[in-house]
Amino acid sequence: MPITITTLMRTLALVFLALVALTPGCTDSGQPASPATPTPGVTATEIVLGSSLALTGHAGYLGTQTLRGAEAYLRYVNENGGIYGRSIRIISRDDAYDPPRCLANTQRFLIDGNIFSLFCYVGTPTTVQVLPLLDDAKVPLLGMLTGANALREPFNRYAINIRASYYQETGTAVRHLVEDLGIKRIAVFYQYDAYGFDGLVGTELALKRFDLEPVARSFYIRGTLDVEDGLEKIMASDAEAVVMVGTYSACARFIQLSTTRGFFPIFFNVSFVGAEELARRLVAVPDARVVMSQVVPSPGLERAREHPDDAVSEYLKIIKRYYPGEPPSFIGLEGFLNARILVEGLRRAGPNPTREGFIDAIESIRDFPLVEDAAITFGPKDHQGMESVYFTRLIKGSFHPFTDWNVLRATE
Amino acid sequence: MKRPPTPETLFNRVSLRSKLMISMLVAVLFISVTIAFVARWILVSSLTDELELRGSAISHSIADRGAEHILDNDTPQLLSLIFDEVRLHERKSLVAYIFIEDRDGTILAHTLIRSMPDELRKHSLPEGVDESTMLLSDNGEEVYDIAVSINEGLYRIGTVHVGLSKSHIDSLISKLRFAFLGFISGVIIITLILSSQLTRRITRPVSDLTRLANEISKGNFNIPLSRKNEEHWDVSNCPAFTNTDLPCWHLDQSALPDSGEAEAHPSCGNCVFYRTRPGDEVAQLGNSFRSMVWSIRLYRHRLHESEEKYRSLFDSGPDPVYVVSSSDGTILDANPRAEELYGYAPGELIAQPFTVLAANETQEFMTDLLSGGDLGCVYYPKQIHAKKDGEPFFVNMHACPISYQGKPAIIIAAADITEMIEKDAQLIQAAKMKTLGEMSAGVAHELNQPLNAIKMGTEYLRMAEEGHVIPPEQQSEVLVEISAQVDRASEIINTLRAFGRKSDIATERVDLNAPINAVLSILRRQFELENIRFDLRLTPQLPPMNGHSNRLQQVLFNLISNARDAIHEHCPADDPDAQRVITIRTGSLPGKVFAEVEDTGGGIPPEVQSKIFEPFFTTKETGQGMGLGLAISYGIVKDYSGNIQIRSTEGQGTVFHLEFPTA
């Protein structure tokens, strides 16, 4: 009987399988089962958080305000018994808005291994620098004072934003400028780093929806006040509005110089610029039309009166109690809200919190009524709690909320 | 004894398809494996080199850019630098760590998020060497540590270490290995599929042919010959299939006339069979094979038809036909008519010896048959055969040698002639009755003589009654004489009765002298009254012959009557000088007995001699005879395998010479 095709095939298949099986080095050795290690930064009495932020330098105001806002609430919580009997402590290190120092601080936190979570970072370039470490160390970072897109896309499980993004801020502002005021000539002035680029791209994307492009782009170097060249370029473009993505000192100088030279466009600043500090520096230029987007409601008394049970009025009460004499600020309110979410997450994470459990707890927050007209919602693929963008304009040395953009029309 | 198959016989045993496939596979496998291994070797070695080069390039780049930070003592910048290097996306999994030591071996910056393990510090760059690579183990993970010196001017101010993850390199290599294995597998699978398709295309027609041939070998010709995608073609649709007078010439070479180039029949061209079909050699072989099968079927059909035809001739022939083996004389076949006539059940005759049909009569035939000589066709007339119940009847047998199932045999046709024989017998009987009438005068004479003698004897004895004294001797003599005369009369009557009796079918042994004496006993007296003398020269003790005595008597009576008529015709009875003698002779020759009747008549002219035995031929005047006497005599003599001859000299008389074989 002839040897059939079937037997031939079978033999070949066996030979092939044997070849595959004999090929060395193809299999991963199983991961060793990790023993139940205690969660770092969690002791019987306290939960320790690490925070690297600018406490000094040209962005020092932002860091200190954030930290105070957060610490005020944490002190309040600690005084009221803490979370499951544990008090919450923030170890803060100053990075002076310098990414390498922020990186060094964060590495220190991770190597020392005694923090539960990273908390309240300030600034885009600094936070972006440490972002890869989060994945490696599997440590959550909650509440960043930045709307950088890089912290949102691609999605990172360990990065948890509270506030709206720069894209949302610039996008909303551009829409109002174009639709409400009919402005077509918009320029962008940005800080030459990840933060500035983020704002630039956000603005460009928003303009693109109206088939527009920035009429001029100019920048300055982080940590300097060299804005003249940028100003000249923008003045030459005859822009009607300037989107400013920088820090308060550079932006204030830009506006001062501009008005000095008789150039009066609408100056739109994103929230990171820091309203109170900018306002303080622009007291001398009352004529400038300066607008700032905010990602938290205005921490004014008006609002506190309107919504007495709101987190805003709570902030006002608590900051007054723990930091008497410290004026309430947008940045401080943001830090305060970060702490509120942190505490809510820790509560939900239960008496034996783990980092992963904490993230899951945050993701479980739905329609958390922190601010009355902007409930906070997270989800497994949604690590940004708030979507609201508020606008304020500079009136007599302070920023006030407004909704009618017609007030900004240039008085001829 | 079964031997383990050698590789050669194993190769011979596998099918053609497997051979083709194996050959193609081995060739492709060899080439692709060779290519794959060479390429893999080149790629793996160059990949490893390339990755190490990359690690080295990273180290040098850091060494160049990091020197100023070391001099500035700006550790955060150093840290940022090495983090930037390690975090560049494509390097992330390749570079396990980077760290920088100062000249004293103090770690200035590292990219780990845990404290610096001591294992990684084992690799220190010797003085005067700018670059070195060492395989280290970091927490169980193997790492190629590439150390590069950071110099200010000629002198070292620090060292940068870049750790390349060995497992990453290995995984790249293993990816490469899998890619090649996959490539080979793909090639093999594609080759397998392709070669399978190809070999199937090649070998399927051959397999089909093999299957067809097997079917045909088993005698199954009813296999479909049409191929795929071809209209159904039934062989029996061809006009040549049913009409044997219509062969398609270029197919049916056997019917080709000598001239050769005969035109194809117009309808043959329509047959699918004759269409040429395109295809490769295998397809052509298939076509030829199908044509061959087609032809076989055609001829089988014709053969079958022919067999049917002759079978029906055999089966429904009006006469019994037997096929008898030449070697042992048994019946090989018999047609239904034979069974019917001989009274046997269907099939009962098969394998019986032929002699069962007629034990005595067929002896001669069987002897001839079994002698094995080349007989040619032989005719055996008037054979007596017996039915199964023993009833005899006459047949004429024709036997011809044939070849039956490859062996010599005899075909025998036996025509039933019983009715004819009956008619013959009736004719003979009628002739006998006529003869009896003719004999009555002689009989009367013959009976008169003893009656007269008895009359005289009784009158003589009455004289004694009237008173005459008769001597007792005389009285006794008279009584004896009377008794003798009564015996004689009774003998004559017995003779007549025997003559008139219808003879049996079977012959008896007869002494040829007996019928002569019987006839003479009746005719002698009358003939002597007619002045005709008998000259009897009978040889005693003749060997016996087979025949019927009364029929022989009839023959002799006819001959003697004719002799008397010839004598009367030739010389008148009242001529005293005339020789009026009938001479009757008997005798024997080897194997034969004979009898002669000679007259002294006027002889028979030669032209008449040839017609004399024909029925209704007579030389006598109308009303004197029917002309059947000699014809019947001739038939009787022939029945006994005898012979009758005439010797005649005109004017001197005629001799009828009868000759019979002895029993």
Side-chain angles (χ1 to χ4, degrees):
Chain A
M1 182 193 153
I3 292 166
T4 60
I5 293 296
T6 322
T7 46
L8 184 67
M9 297 268 203
R10 206 171 290 146
T11 316
L12 281 173
L14 283 175
V15 169
F16 183 72
L17 281 178
L19 268 176
V20 171
L22 288 173
T23 313
C26 299
T27 48
D28 290 347
S29 54
Q31 297 279 345
S34 52
T37 47
T39 308
V42 178
T43 66
T45 54
E46 61 176 13
I47 295 172
V48 184
L49 308 171
S51 179
S52 170
L53 69 180
L55 297 175
T56 59
H58 62 278
Y61 169 77
L62 301 174
T64 48
Q65 281 300 309
T66 307
L67 194 60
R68 278 178 194 168
E71 289 225 297
Y73 184 67
L74 293 180
R75 280 168 74 177
Y76 166 74
V77 169
N78 289 344
E79 273 184 20
N80 288 284
I83 310 292
Y84 300 111
R86 296 187 184 96
S87 59
I88 303 166
R89 180 164 61 91
I90 298 178
I91 301 174
S92 58
R93 292 183 199 272
D94 179 26
D95 59 26
Y97 196 42
D98 182 27
R101 286 181 67 183
C102 180
L103 182 65
N105 289 341
T106 308
Q107 192 186 28
R108 193 80 261 150
F109 284 138
L110 297 177
I111 290 173
D112 294 348
N114 57 359
I115 53 115
F116 173 70
S117 168
L118 299 173
F119 182 61
C120 271
Y121 273 46
V122 169
T124 303
T126 46
T127 313
V128 167
Q129 184 85 13
V130 302
L131 198 57
L133 289 185
L134 305 182
D135 265 336
D136 288 354
K138 302 200 182 307
V139 62
L141 166 56
L142 177 80
M144 293 82 89
L145 192 80
T146 165
N149 195 52
L151 300 178
R152 290 160 172 81
E153 284 176 21
F155 177 79
N156 187 329
R157 176 172 164 80
Y158 297 98
I160 300 164
N161 298 285
I162 309 292
R163 47 167 286 161
S165 69
Y166 292 141
Y167 282 11
Q168 285 169 310
E169 288 185 50
T170 54
T172 316
V174 165
R175 184 160 55 77
H176 283 301
L177 288 173
V178 175
E179 287 182 349
D180 296 357
L181 300 177
I183 289 174
K184 298 270 166 69
R185 306 186 60 78
I186 296 172
V188 181
F189 176 71
Y190 62 96
Q191 176 172 291
Y192 194 81
D193 67 357
Y195 158 57
F197 293 141
D198 215 54
L200 173 65
V201 170
T203 310
E204 285 175 333
L205 284 172
L207 284 170
K208 205 171 179 179
R209 286 200 283 272
F210 300 101
D211 288 328
L212 296 172
E213 264 191 61
V215 291
R217 302 173 183 85
S218 68
F219 61 86
Y220 74 99
I221 304 296
R222 180 178 67 215
T224 70
L225 294 175
D226 307 331
V227 301
E228 282 87 351
D229 292 348
L231 175 60
E232 274 170 27
K233 193 175 173 188
I234 286 172
M235 280 173 71
S237 73
D238 198 18
E240 297 169 89
V242 182
V243 174
M244 306 179 70
V245 192
T247 51
Y248 50 81
S249 48
C251 291
R253 180 167 161 72
F254 183 93
I255 294 167
Q256 280 170 344
L257 276 176
S258 172
T259 50
T260 314
R261 296 186 187 180
F263 181 52
F264 290 97
I266 292 173
F267 299 99
F268 166 70
N269 298 270
V270 295
S271 58
F272 188 76
V273 174
E276 291 77 11
E277 199 62 21
L278 186 65
R280 193 170 61 78
R281 289 164 196 241
L282 289 180
V283 173
V285 281
D287 301 337
R289 293 176 292 168
V290 181
V291 177
M292 180 174 282
S293 57
Q294 299 293 352
V295 291
V296 293
S298 176
L301 287 170
E302 309 91 47
R303 185 182 167 92
R305 277 193 291 276
E306 282 170 35
H307 307 286
D309 302 328
D310 204 26
V312 179
S313 43
E314 197 182 4
Y315 164 68
L316 292 176
K317 274 183 258 170
I318 287 173
I319 197 78
K320 192 174 175 185
R321 178 173 162 198
Y322 292 104
Y323 293 96
E326 180 74 31
S329 66
F330 288 98
I331 306 295
L333 176 57
E334 201 177 326
F336 178 81
L337 293 180
N338 288 350
R340 286 289 316 259
I341 300 294
L342 170 82
V343 169
E344 178 64 22
L346 286 174
R347 276 206 186 100
R348 289 178 183 233
N352 298 307
T354 60
R355 286 169 172 175
E356 298 296 324
F358 173 65
I359 294 170
D360 292 341
I362 293 287
E363 284 174 350
S364 75
I365 293 175
R366 299 277 190 284
D367 295 324
F368 186 60
L370 199 56
V371 183
E372 285 205 357
D373 49 2
I376 291 175
T377 296
F378 288 91
K381 290 290 168 191
D382 177 13
H383 276 195
Q384 178 182 307
M386 298 172 73
E387 312 293 334
S388 310
V389 178
Y390 307 86
F391 289 98
T392 55
R393 67 183 182 115
L394 186 65
I395 307 170
K396 292 172 186 155
S398 65
F399 279 94
H400 296 274
F402 76 102
T403 48
D404 183 9
W405 284 66
N406 285 313
V407 299
L408 291 172
R409 284 189 189 278
T411 48
E412 297 300 325
Chain B
M1 182 178 136
K2 194 173 179 178
R3 289 181 190 176
T6 63
E8 195 182 343
T9 57
L10 198 66
F11 191 72
N12 287 338
R13 271 171 56 201
V14 302
S15 65
L16 177 63
R17 188 175 170 203
S18 305
K19 277 179 199 163
L20 286 171
M21 271 184 76
I22 290 170
S23 309
M24 289 168 82
L25 271 181
V26 165
V28 171
L29 208 61
F30 177 75
I31 293 168
S32 52
V33 164
T34 309
I35 291 173
F37 272 96
V38 168
R40 210 201 82 174
W41 178 74
I42 292 168
L43 282 173
V44 165
S45 57
S46 60
L47 179 72
T48 313
D49 289 351
E50 177 63 31
L51 290 174
E52 283 181 12
L53 268 179
R54 216 164 127 187
S56 168
I58 293 168
S59 307
H60 281 288
S61 154
I62 293 170
D64 288 347
R65 288 186 285 149
E68 62 170 299
H69 300 311
I70 294 175
L71 294 174
D72 290 350
N73 217 0
D74 188 352
T75 324
Q77 284 296 341
L78 212 52
L79 184 68
S80 179
L81 172 68
I82 61 176
F83 260 108
D84 283 346
E85 287 291 340
V86 87
R87 291 300 164 197
L88 284 179
H89 270 292
E90 69 273 22
R91 292 180 187 164
K92 201 169 171 179
S93 39
L94 171 65
V95 180
Y97 60 82
I98 302 175
F99 67 89
I100 297 174
E101 325 169 278
D102 65 11
R103 58 181 309 161
D104 305 325
T106 313
I107 302 289
L108 295 177
H110 66 85
T111 61
L112 296 172
I113 50 171
R114 51 197 161 92
S115 30
M116 192 68 201
D118 288 338
E119 292 96 45
L120 299 181
R121 308 187 60 175
K122 284 180 191 161
H123 182 209
S124 59
L125 195 61
E127 210 52 54
V129 178
D130 276 349
E131 185 177 339
S132 144
T133 304
M134 186 187 256
L135 185 64
L136 297 177
S137 174
D138 169 24
N139 210 5
E141 294 236 340
E142 284 190 311
V143 178
Y144 289 110
D145 187 275
I146 299 171
V148 170
S149 155
I150 304 173
N151 291 347
E152 183 194 18
L154 281 177
Y155 302 102
R156 180 180 298 175
I157 55 171
T159 316
V160 59
H161 290 259
V162 172
L164 298 183
S165 162
K166 185 169 183 293
S167 67
H168 178 67
I169 295 174
D170 287 347
S171 83
L172 284 181
I173 288 170
S174 115
K175 264 185 208 164
L176 208 61
R177 187 178 286 133
F178 260 105
F180 276 107
L181 201 64
F183 168 73
I184 295 174
S185 314
V187 167
I188 290 168
I189 287 166
I190 289 169
T191 313
L192 208 60
I193 291 168
L194 281 180
S195 59
S196 163
Q197 295 286 334
L198 191 66
T199 50
R200 185 182 300 154
R201 271 187 78 83
I202 292 173
T203 55
R204 192 202 277 147
V206 179
S207 317
D208 284 354
L209 287 184
T210 310
R211 191 168 43 74
L212 272 176
N214 286 339
E215 287 291 320
I216 289 165
S217 310
K218 288 180 203 156
N220 177 17
F221 277 82
N222 296 323
I223 35 177
L225 287 178
S226 55
R227 302 189 301 176
K228 268 184 194 170
N229 312 325
E230 210 172 66
E231 72 262 48
H232 180 66
W233 169 244
D234 188 356
V235 170
S236 57
N237 289 349
C238 181
F241 188 72
T242 45
N243 186 356
T244 48
D245 295 333
L246 185 68
C248 292
W249 297 118
H250 58 285
L251 166 72
D252 195 350
Q253 298 284 335
S254 63
L256 206 66
D258 293 338
S259 59
E261 292 299 316
E263 279 297 304
H265 189 274
S267 59
C268 290
N270 296 332
C271 292
V272 171
F273 179 72
Y274 291 107
R275 284 183 209 152
T276 50
R277 275 160 287 200
D280 53 19
E281 290 84 347
V282 179
Q284 295 300 335
L285 174 63
N287 287 339
S288 300
F289 188 81
R290 282 182 176 82
S291 303
M292 192 183 83
V293 174
W294 198 96
S295 299
I296 292 173
R297 286 178 66 175
L298 182 71
Y299 283 111
R300 267 176 67 100
H301 179 74
R302 288 190 186 166
L303 189 64
H304 186 65
E305 260 186 356
S306 164
E307 198 184 284
E308 290 267 296
K309 192 161 79 186
Y310 290 105
R311 187 78 218 174
S312 71
L313 281 182
F314 180 76
D315 283 349
S316 48
D319 286 331
V321 179
Y322 297 94
V323 179
V324 178
S325 165
S326 293
S327 54
D328 58 3
T330 53
I331 296 171
L332 300 174
D333 202 356
N335 69 353
R337 176 67 186 143
E339 285 155 350
E340 182 196 341
L341 184 66
Y342 283 77
Y344 286 89
E348 196 181 346
L349 278 169
I350 308 296
Q352 300 249 32
F354 189 67
T355 49
V356 80
L357 301 176
N360 299 324
E361 291 281 330
T362 51
Q363 278 304 327
E364 178 196 1
F365 162 67
M366 290 307 291
T367 313
D368 290 349
L369 175 69
L370 297 176
S371 69
D374 185 12
L375 299 169
C377 283
V378 185
Y379 179 57
Y380 299 92
K382 290 189 186 171
Q383 301 281 306
I384 299 172
H385 283 191
K387 296 186 179 177
K388 193 184 180 186
D389 56 10
E391 185 191 343
F393 65 105
F394 281 94
V395 292
N396 283 342
M397 256 171 56
H398 268 103
C400 290
I402 57 162
S403 174
Y404 186 81
Q405 290 171 344
K407 291 174 190 164
I410 306 288
I411 187 161
I412 296 164
D416 181 8
I417 52 165
T418 309
E419 205 172 321
M420 201 175 83
I421 296 288
E422 288 288 323
K423 290 282 191 300
D424 275 2
Q426 282 171 16
L427 194 63
I428 290 167
Q429 195 64 17
K432 247 178 353 192
M433 288 303 134
K434 177 175 167 285
T435 308
L436 266 181
E438 289 171 11
M439 283 176 13
S440 57
V443 170
H445 279 294
E446 285 295 326
L447 283 176
N448 252 352
Q449 194 182 9
L451 287 174
N452 281 338
I454 290 165
K455 176 88 177 162
M456 283 166 61
T458 51
E459 281 178 357
Y460 180 70
L461 288 177
R462 200 162 43 187
M463 281 167 44
E465 216 147 280
E466 290 167 357
H468 294 288
V469 178
I470 302 170
E473 307 88 52
Q474 278 189 358
Q475 190 175 352
S476 171
E477 195 178 330
V478 168
L479 286 173
V480 168
E481 184 62 21
I482 289 171
S483 177
Q485 291 304 324
V486 168
D487 285 348
R488 179 165 157 70
S490 118
E491 188 192 330
I492 290 166
I493 289 165
N494 280 342
T495 304
L496 279 176
R497 193 191 288 152
F499 181 74
R501 199 184 68 231
K502 199 176 171 185
S503 41
D504 288 338
I505 282 180
T507 56
E508 61 214 23
R509 283 165 167 259
V510 181
D511 180 354
L512 192 52
N513 289 335
I516 293 171
N517 286 328
V519 170
L520 286 180
S521 70
I522 294 169
L523 295 180
R524 187 173 204 146
R525 179 74 40 160
Q526 188 191 352
F527 275 42
E528 281 170 1
L529 288 175
E530 293 177 20
N531 197 24
I532 292 173
R533 195 169 50 87
F534 281 102
D535 181 7
L536 291 179
R537 299 180 189 179
L538 303 181
T539 308
Q541 306 293 321
L542 279 176
M545 58 165 283
N546 283 326
H548 300 93
S549 186
N550 58 354
R551 287 194 181 178
L552 288 170
Q553 286 175 31
Q554 188 179 2
V555 171
L556 288 165
F557 179 85
N558 274 331
L559 293 179
I560 291 167
S561 299
N562 283 346
R564 177 195 62 189
D565 294 346
I567 290 170
H568 278 314
E569 205 173 294
H570 185 60
C571 46
D574 48 359
D575 182 357
D577 298 329
Q579 277 280 67
R580 294 168 65 91
V581 177
I582 295 174
T583 309
I584 298 174
R585 276 183 292 268
T586 61
S588 65
L589 293 170
K592 286 174 183 169
V593 288
F594 68 86
E596 284 182 345
V597 177
E598 183 179 356
D599 64 56
T600 53
I604 303 168
E607 66 273 12
V608 177
Q609 282 184 23
S610 59
K611 296 178 187 171
I612 202 161
F613 295 113
E614 290 175 12
F616 306 109
F617 178 84
T618 179
T619 56
K620 295 168 186 169
E621 291 170 27
T622 308
Q624 288 277 329
M626 294 273 285
L628 285 173
L630 276 179
I632 289 171
S633 299
Y634 183 84
I636 292 169
V637 170
K638 283 291 168 192
D639 278 353
Y640 301 146
S641 307
N643 203 1
I644 182 164
Q645 285 170 344
I646 304 168
R647 290 200 304 272
S648 178
T649 314
E650 216 164 338
Q652 290 195 4
T654 306
V655 178
F656 281 89
H657 178 88
L658 301 175
E659 205 172 79
F660 299 99
T662 53

